[in-house]
């Protein structure tokens, strides 16, 4: 049990770090990492989970997801734009064709996933 909680705590802290890095870096997505951090903290540290769920930057989106399994229309639009730009830049810079194809497949998969998430009015 202690090992499992420690694993979730480390994964949650790494996800939070990557999510925070994603705020200024357009190639790194913020929302999936913050959602993963909330998931991991819920299983490892009640204090960190409560802190994240009440944080002024993330609380609204996390609570919408937690209670309604939906995200606001504006946040979804931002996710489309930032993800699309990130994948476009990555596909442009990568020299290997098979990596370009893989990135394009991931971009399409992410777009389809985002499309199926229910929306809330802003």
């Amino acid at each position: 049990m202690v090992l499992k909680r420690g694993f979730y705590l480390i994964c949650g802290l790494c996800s939070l770090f990557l999510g925070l890095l994603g705020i200024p870096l357009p190639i790194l997505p913020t929302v999936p990492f913050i959602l993963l951090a909330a998931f991991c903290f819920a299983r490892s540290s009640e204090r960190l989970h409560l802190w994240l769920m009440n944080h002024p930057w993330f609380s609204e989106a996390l609570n919408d997801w937690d209670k309604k399994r939906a995200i606001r229309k504006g946040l979804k639009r931002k996710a489309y734009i930032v993800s699309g730009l990130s994948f476009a830049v990555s596909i442009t810079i990568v020299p290997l064709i098979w990596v370009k194809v893989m990135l394009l497949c991931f971009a399409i998969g992410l777009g389809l996933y985002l499309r199926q998430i229910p929306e809330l009015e802003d």
Side-chain angles (χ1 to χ4, degrees):
M1 185 67 168
V2 173
L3 187 61
K4 188 176 179 180
R5 284 185 62 178
F7 173 76
Y8 278 120
L9 180 64
I10 290 169
C11 287
L13 291 171
C14 290
S15 296
L16 179 62
F17 177 72
L18 290 171
L20 292 174
L21 274 178
I23 294 170
L25 298 174
I27 10 181
L28 203 58
T30 300
V31 175
F33 286 118
I34 299 301
L35 288 174
L36 180 60
F39 173 84
C40 291
F41 289 158
R43 284 147 185 78
S44 63
S45 170
E46 186 177 337
R47 185 176 61 91
L48 286 173
H49 185 252
L50 287 173
W51 171 80
L52 189 59
M53 295 301 286
N54 294 311
H55 193 280
W57 291 354
F58 309 118
S59 63
E60 185 179 359
L62 286 173
N63 286 312
D64 285 344
W65 182 257
D66 189 40
K67 290 178 178 62
K68 302 170 189 161
R69 288 290 184 237
I71 59 176
R72 302 254 173 221
K73 203 177 247 186
L75 184 59
K76 193 173 185 178
R77 193 174 326 111
K78 287 178 190 173
Y80 276 127
I81 292 167
V82 170
S83 298
L85 289 173
S86 298
F87 275 109
V89 168
S90 298
I91 289 169
T92 303
I93 356 182
V94 170
L96 302 172
I97 191 73
W98 69 270
V99 176
K100 289 178 187 266
V101 171
M102 183 183 68
L103 287 170
L104 182 62
C105 290
F106 284 146
I108 291 169
L110 179 61
L112 292 173
Y113 175 73
L114 284 173
R115 186 174 176 202
Q116 63 90 28
I117 295 174
E119 291 179 359
L120 300 170
E121 291 301 319
D122 287 329

